[in-house]
């Protein structure tokens, strides 16, 4: 395995168009799965596509030792079919075997075993398989399916019939030792002999079938041409032959048999055996040399009769000179001609070799036969714009001669570009001949030349009659009459264009009514294999009487009659999830009763429908197909109703329940803000506890200031919850750490009255303006950490004030002195810093108050104003009021007092409001955990605190990170539970219901209904209006209050609590949390859901796992215990296989959630602390559909394949090994629709071009390759199968996320996740980054589609111009999609703006993440109008984050 991909060797770049499966093709597929049939359909109707679908179905059900063999009558047809199958069966190893491979020289079974090792499909000529069977190299029991292309050849002694008669039909052969048979033909009989069709059916052991139910559809794709004749006069060649022909005939007649090298050799040998051979050679004149000249004479005479003198002279000249110079055609050799025979012939040809012929001149009409002149007239008349013609001739010699004639004749040389085509077999039994003049190397590109218009006429032998994919021609000319009915029909089928002509050239003396004869034979043939189609019109005229059945739902009165059933069923299928390349229409098939007079219909619904109701059979037999179809639809719709997939109004489940319907109908009406309960206050509970209990509790706290620690005690009526460390910010450059004793509060034995008085004293020292003097009774009490018996003494010492003059006697330390209060200024508090004596220069402005007349001589108190800050929870900001800055002041002692309470204690009192807020949050959290969240049993309450704190509260923490992980938890639980609860719901219903479950509207409603709104912290603490709380007031009843809150905040908090539960105890606690908020849903654990899903998976013993998918298990590094899960994960909704495997849509729905939780958890748990928006950006990039598709395409497995060495075919005696590379997408099972196959091929071509650059960016780049991945633009199914495989692994591995992570590691996803996390890779989308760089200027995108190659320098595709403000910044051309154009333009614009800023030495403020975080909720999507102008305000950033289909999955 590797991470670099190369083309699958079995794939081809051929341009043969695949076909969207049609109804009549599916009809034939269904019938072929039941019995051996011959598909009899007109040329161009898609028989090969039926074979393709049948091959895929057989490979899915056959054993690993089995293979499918596809037989063709010619090498050219085999090569074409090999190319077609190679393009569509991407994960199947295919081998082509023809005479060109020298298979007749493979004389050992080991060579065949090596060549067929791991091969699942062989395409060969009939003779190759016959030889292999004859020699025992291949046995019939090894074949699972044998397909005969052009099976009308299975007659008489043909290789096809010998295969059937000698190796298939022998009596008493067990049925399991012979393969299933499928025949393909446009003309199942060869001639007009009675019983011809029955004989073919007997030989093939199959019944001839043609579409019945979809006959009209078949006729839409078959264009019968206008048939006409060209009558030419008899040849007017003179009685005397042309010189070269006359000379050639003379050479042959005068050839001395006695001098023939073969005769001479026999004479020289001289023994009896040779004498007998000698007599035989002399009497029969049959020697190699004689045969060569005789064949040349016969061919020359034929050319003369058919084409005229000019042609025969040129023909003989070319043959003889090619032989002389050994320049023989590549497909002819003279291995049996020794040098003596060559010299013998050259001596005989010597007079003829001296003749000169101008092989470049254009002949006169007199040198041409009347037949050729009529052909030239016809071509001259038919040629016009768009002409594409095909001329069939009988002999190989006529092909190059007619081509040269048409290319050089004055009437056609300027209007026709001619190509040639003949058979190409190099089989050893092919006889060499001097008469061969055509070189097959010249025809290698002939068919492609006609397809692409480089040539407009092909002259060919009958090799192009059968099966060869010739582009639609509008004129087919038979230079000779068709030899039989088969040839007549096959040639006519080449004229596929509408209003085409089928022209047959006939001599004057030939039967004039030949066309009527052939037409009558064809009609007779069709009557024989149409079965009940012979009476179809009669049956259609017979109207069944409806049986009056009506299905009625009593609860609603809704009812459905037989007449309504088809319409109802089509409507139900029409609302299935729209999947590109998949047909959502039901498919009907018919079966007959034993008398073949009545029909019954079967209906098959799309793969996305649960297998239990996917198929339905009509309950009755009917005279007409119309009523049979209605009956089947009726039964199917009733089954859908009983399965719960149709509601009681007999309509599809547009809404899965009334709540969802209501939520979705009001989704646009959901208000941004709603009235909710005021935040719950825990303090009344505390106040009540003081009244009821006698036991008190104390908690220790320590203030760490600089290098000193100040301990204090908190007293409460009950044990307080655990409190996390609190950081306070008294000044810009300082911080105070407050640590709470982690030990549970212990009982307090002191007098509460003293503690209350101390608390009042502490608070009054700082907050006296907000207090009532001497009022006590606080919910939480504070006191210094001193002995209980010393408190009263300490209280007496520190109570009250003293004159400030006492500071002059002994100046204490600043922290030991109390607060200085200036009585002349109403007691303004100051912080004492020292005493200043004269002489000291004091600025008068610094002197506060009235110092009296002797101011100059008095000492002063040096002080600074006490800070007015009340919010110490947040850092000092730069724009804070400068008046609060600490400036030195001087006060006269005689106007001041000083508190007895040391400032250290007052400083602690300053922080009490913050501590009270901190305790309040802890109490609120405890109340939430003990009540609403009690079933969850949270161990870490701090997680809950974080989860209920909005960013607007401006705390050191908020819920955003937990919401990030909780969102994924909710998604995965909703997904898994829906999957397990509704086993028959298709992905559309599941997506609809999940959207309701995880919608903000429902989450917000759940939060309100469960009372969570009263616990959410949204208001920032400032302390500006803080006042001490009193128990007396708290015990008074308060009127209920409300507040406004964003519904998104309500929803986010629910998700954050799910995230907190996940961090606290994993998925079990998430389940408990879900059960609280959504009690109406029966939530199951993830393991239970996985168990349910695993039980319904098809067990291995119930089906046969296709062996070649074992390579995929190696590729993804997971061996499945339940193989059906892997098949389901690979089955595209378009897949038409009849194995009842559901499509991957349900698994993809689940895999998306599993992938999301894996990536989200890895990002969330990274060791570095990531900002929430950074985490969202990472997740968006790492689950991006384009990224998933790319890594899936890049990862491949090399599978060994036996190869034929590129040597002389006839000398092959052994095989060598090579490898074929397969990526995951090669294994996807689909119906090979035209658009899907094209999408695979075009995306792979883009991948090959872009892979080096994308891989380099992922391995070594500093930014995520958004633009390159957008240019790759893979179809959605490329990423869908990655997600579906993830889900399959999860179910198969007993719910092991580790097994899924192993798969993601193998793909390279998790290694890149780690690199992005560790290296800080930029993952911001170019459009978003442009919005940031542009600042406040508007960004405008203008996108137009350039369709004229002469415009914009020949750059076809989308052009995008991006402007920032008034100026155009960047223009890009040639984008494949509008999304790519905008992404590229944004990337270029970012480069331009950054360079401009660099040149101006201007750097934008580092607010990228903060700005983007605010704007991240504004993601939307563009409309699809061409030439639109799109404006983007930089503060709105991304106006368009195209959803998953366009490459960006918004988290």
């Amino acid at each position: 395995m590797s991470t670099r991909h190369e083309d699958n060797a079995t794939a081809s770049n051929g341009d043969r168009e695949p076909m969207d499966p049609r109804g009549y093709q599916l009809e034939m597929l269904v019938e072929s799965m039941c019995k051996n049939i011959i598909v009899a359909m007109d040329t161009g109707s898609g028989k090969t596509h039926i074979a393709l679908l049948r091959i895929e179905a057989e490979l899915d059900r056959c054993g690993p030792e089995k293979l499918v063999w596809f037989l063709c009558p010619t090498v050219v047809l085999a090569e074409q079919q090999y190319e077609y199958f190679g393009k569509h069966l991407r994960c199947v190893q295919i081998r082509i075997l023809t005479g060109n491979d020298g298979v007749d020289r493979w004389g050992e079974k080991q060579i065949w075993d090596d060549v067929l090792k791991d091969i699942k499909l062989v395409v060969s000529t009939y003779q190759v398989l016959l030889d292999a069977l004859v020699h025992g190299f291949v046995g019939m029991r090894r074949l699972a399916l044998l397909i005969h292309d052009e099976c009308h050849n299975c007659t008489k002694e043909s290789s096809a019939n010998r295969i059937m008669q000698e190796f298939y039909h022998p009596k008493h052969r067990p049925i399991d030792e012979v393969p299933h048979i499928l025949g393909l033909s446009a003309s199942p009989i060869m001639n007009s002999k009675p019983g011809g069709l029955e004989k073919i059916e007997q030989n093939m052991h199959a019944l001839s079938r043609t579409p019945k139910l979809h006959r009209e559809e078949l006729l839409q794709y078959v264009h019968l041409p206008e048939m006409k004749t060209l009558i030419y006069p008899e040849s007017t060649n003179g009685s005397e032959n042309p010189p070269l022909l006359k000379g050639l005939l003379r050479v042959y007649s005068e050839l001395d048999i006695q001098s023939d090298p073969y005769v001479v050799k026999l004479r020289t040998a001289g023994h009896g055996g040779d004498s007998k051979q000698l007599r035989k050679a002399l009497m029969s004149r049959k020697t190699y040399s004689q045969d060569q000249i005789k064949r040349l004479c016969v061919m020359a005479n034929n050319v003369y009769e058919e084409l005229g003198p000019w042609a025969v002279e040129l023909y003989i000249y070319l043959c003889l000179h090619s032989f002389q110079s050994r320049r023989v055609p590549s497909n002819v050799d003279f291995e049996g001609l020794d040098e003596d025979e060559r010299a013998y012939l050259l001596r005989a040809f010597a007079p003829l070799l001296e003749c000169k012929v101008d092989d470049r001149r254009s002949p006169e009409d007199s040198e041409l036969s009347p037949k050729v002149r009529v052909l030239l007239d016809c071509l001259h008349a038919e040629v016009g714009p768009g002409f594409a013609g095909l001329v069939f001739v009988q002999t190989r010699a006529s092909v190059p001669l007619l081509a040269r004639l048409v290319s050089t004749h004055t009437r056609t040389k300027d209007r026709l570009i001619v190509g040639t085509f003949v058979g190409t077999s190099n089989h050893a039994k092919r006889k060499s001949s001097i008469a061969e003049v055509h070189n097959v190397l010249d025809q290698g590109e002939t068919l492609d030349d006609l397809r692409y218009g480089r040539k407009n006429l092909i002259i060919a032998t009958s090799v192009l009659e059968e099966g060869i994919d010739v582009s639609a021609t509008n004129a087919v000319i038979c230079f000779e009459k068709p030899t039989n009915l088969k040839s007549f029909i096959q040639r006519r089928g080449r004229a596929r264009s509408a209003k085409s002509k089928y022209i047959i050239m006939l001599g004057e003396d030939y039967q004039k009514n030949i066309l009527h004869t052939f037409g009558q034979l064809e009609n007779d043939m069709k009557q024989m294999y149409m079965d009940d189609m012979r009476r179809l019109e009669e049956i259609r005229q017979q109207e069944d009487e409806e049986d009056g059945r009506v299905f009625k739902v009593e609860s609603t009165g809704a009812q459905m009659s037989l007449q309504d059933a088809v319409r109802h069923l089509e409507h139900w299928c029409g609302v299935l999830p729209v999947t590109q390349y998949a047909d959502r229409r039901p498919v009907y098939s018919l079966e007959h009763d034993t008398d073949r007079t009545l029909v019954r219909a079967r209906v098959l619904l799309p793969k996305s429908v649960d297998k239990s109701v996917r198929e339905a059979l009509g309950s009755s037999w009917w005279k007409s197909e119309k009523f049979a179809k209605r009956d089947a639809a009726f039964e199917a719709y009733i089954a859908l109703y009983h399965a719960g997939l149709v509601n009681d109004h007999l309509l599809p489940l547009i809404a899965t329940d009334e709540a969802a319907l209501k939520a979705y109908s009001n989704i646009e009406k959901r208000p941004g803000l709603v009235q909710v309960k005021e935040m719950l206050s825990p303090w009344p509970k505390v106040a009540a506890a003081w009244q009821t209990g006698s036991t008190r509790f104390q908690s220790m706290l320590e203030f760490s200031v600089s290098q000193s620690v100040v301990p204090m005690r908190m007293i409460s009526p009950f044990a307080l919850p655990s409190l996390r460390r609190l950081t306070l910010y008294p000044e810009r450059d300082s911080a105070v750490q407050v640590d709470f004793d982690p030990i549970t509060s212990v009982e307090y034995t002191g007098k509460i009255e003293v503690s209350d008085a101390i608390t009042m004293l502490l608070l009054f020292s700082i907050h006296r303006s907000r207090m009532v003097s001497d009022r006590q009774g606080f919910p939480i009490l504070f006191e210094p950490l001193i002995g209980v018996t010393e408190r009263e003494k300490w209280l007496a010492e520190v109570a009250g004030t003293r004159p400030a003059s006492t500071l002059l006697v002994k100046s204490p330390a600043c922290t030991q002195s109390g607060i200085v209060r200036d009585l002349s200024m109403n007691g303004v508090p100051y912080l004492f810093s020292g005493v200043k004596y004269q002489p000291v220069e004091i600025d008068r402005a610094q002197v506060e108050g009235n110092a009296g007349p002797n101011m100059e001589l008095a000492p002063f108190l040096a002080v600074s104003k006490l800070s007015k800050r009340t919010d110490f929870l947040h850092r000092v900001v730069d724009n804070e009021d400068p008046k609060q800055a600490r400036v030195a002041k001087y006060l006269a002692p005689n106007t001041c007092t000083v508190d007895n309470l040391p400032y250290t204690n007052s400083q602690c009192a300053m922080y009490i409001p913050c501590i009270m807020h901190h305790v309040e949050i802890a109490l609120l959290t405890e109340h939430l955990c003990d009540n609403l969240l009690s079933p969850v049993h949270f161990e870490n309450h701090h997680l809950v605190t974080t989860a209920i704190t909005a960013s607007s509260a401006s705390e050191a923490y908020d819920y955003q990170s937990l919401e990030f992980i909780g969102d994924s938890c909710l998604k995965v639980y909703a997904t898994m539970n829906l999957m397990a609860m509704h086993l028959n719901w298709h992905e559309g219903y599941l997506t609809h219901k999940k959207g309701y479950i995880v919608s903000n509207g429902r989450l917000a409603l759940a939060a309100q209904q469960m009372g969570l709104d009263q616990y959410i912290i949204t208001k920032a603490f400032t302390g500006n209006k803080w006042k001490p709380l009193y128990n007396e007031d708290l015990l008074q009843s308060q009127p209920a209050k409300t507040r406004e809150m964003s519904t998104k905040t309500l929803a986010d908090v629910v998700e954050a609590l799910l995230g907190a539960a996940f961090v606290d105890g994993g998925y079990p606690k998430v389940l408990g949390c879900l059960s609280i908020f959504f009690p109406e849903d029966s939530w199951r654990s993830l393991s239970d859901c996985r168990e349910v899903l695993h039980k319904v998976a098809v067990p291995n013993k119930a089906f046969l796992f296709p062996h070649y998918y074992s390579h995929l298990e190696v590729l993804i590094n997971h061996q499945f215990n339940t193989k059906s899960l892997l098949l389901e994960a690979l089955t595209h909704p378009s897949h038409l296989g009849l194995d009842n495997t559901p499509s991957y849509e349900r698994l993809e729905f689940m895999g998306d959630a599993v992938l999301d939780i894996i990536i989200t958890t890895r990002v969330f748990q990274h060791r570095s602390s990531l900002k929430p928006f950074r985490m969202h950006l990472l997740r968006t990039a790492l689950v991006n559909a384009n990224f998933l598709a790319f890594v899936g395409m890049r990862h491949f497995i090399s599978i060994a394949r036996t190869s034929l060495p590129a040597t002389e075919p006839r000398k092959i005696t052994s095989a060598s090994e090579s490898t074929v590379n397969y990526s995951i997408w090669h294994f996807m099972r689909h119906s090979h629709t035209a658009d899907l196959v094209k999408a695979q091929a075009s995306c792979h071509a883009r991948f090959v071009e872009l892979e080096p650059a994308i891989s380099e960016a992922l391995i070594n780049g500093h930014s995520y390759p958004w633009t390159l991945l957008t240019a790759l633009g893979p179809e959605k199914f490329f990423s869908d199968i990655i997600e579906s495989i993830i889900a399959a692994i999860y179910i198969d591995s007993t719910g092991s996320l580790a097994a899924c992570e192993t798969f993601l590691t193998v793909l390279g996803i998790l290694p890149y996740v780690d690199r992005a996390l560790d290296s800080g890779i930029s993952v911001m989308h170019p459009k978003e980054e442009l919005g940031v760089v542009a600042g406040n200027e508007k960004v405008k995108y203008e996108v137009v589609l350039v369709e004229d190659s002469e415009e914009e320098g020949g750059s076809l595709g989308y052009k995008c111009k991006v402007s920032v403000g008034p100026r155009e910044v960047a223009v890009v051309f040639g984008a494949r999609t509008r999304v790519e154009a905008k992404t590229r333009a944004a990337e270029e614009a970012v480069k331009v703006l950054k360079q401009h800023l660099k040149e101006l030495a201007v750097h934008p403020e580092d607010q990228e993440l903060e700005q983007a975080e605010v704007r991240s909720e504004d993601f939307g999507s563009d409309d699809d109008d061409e030439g639109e102008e799109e404006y983007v305000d930089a503060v709105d950033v991304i106006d368009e984050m195209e959803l998953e289909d366009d490459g960006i999955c918004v988290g």
Side-chain angles (χ1 to χ4, degrees), residues 1341-1414:
Y1341 295 89
E1342 297 179 52
V1343 182
V1344 295
L1345 178 60
V1346 179
E1347 298 180 288
D1348 188 346
S1349 60
E1350 296 182 0
E1351 297 180 13
E1352 310 297 350
S1355 297
L1356 298 178
Y1358 286 96
K1359 166 190 173 184
C1360 180
K1361 178 175 69 174
V1362 60
S1363 301
V1364 176
R1367 70 188 184 104
E1368 178 182 308
V1369 178
V1371 180
V1372 296
F1373 302 95
R1376 191 176 59 88
T1377 63
R1378 294 175 64 253
V1379 179
E1380 179 190 350
K1382 291 182 179 181
T1383 306
R1384 283 175 48 195
E1387 185 177 61
E1388 291 300 316
V1390 168
K1391 293 178 182 177
V1392 172
L1393 292 182
K1394 284 186 174 180
Q1395 180 62 30
H1396 180 67
L1397 293 172
K1398 183 178 180 181
E1399 292 172 355
L1400 296 178
V1402 176
H1403 301 281
E1405 295 179 1
D1406 187 18
Q1407 297 177 346
E1408 173 181 318
L1409 292 180
E1410 288 80 359
Q1411 293 176 0
E1413 185 172 355
V1414 173

Side-chain angles (χ1 to χ4, degrees), residues 117 180 430 663 666 707 811 830 933 1151:
K117 181 182 178 182
H180 302 284
R430 171 77 181 274
N666 296 323
Q707 296 182 352
S811 178
Y830 291 91
L933 299 181

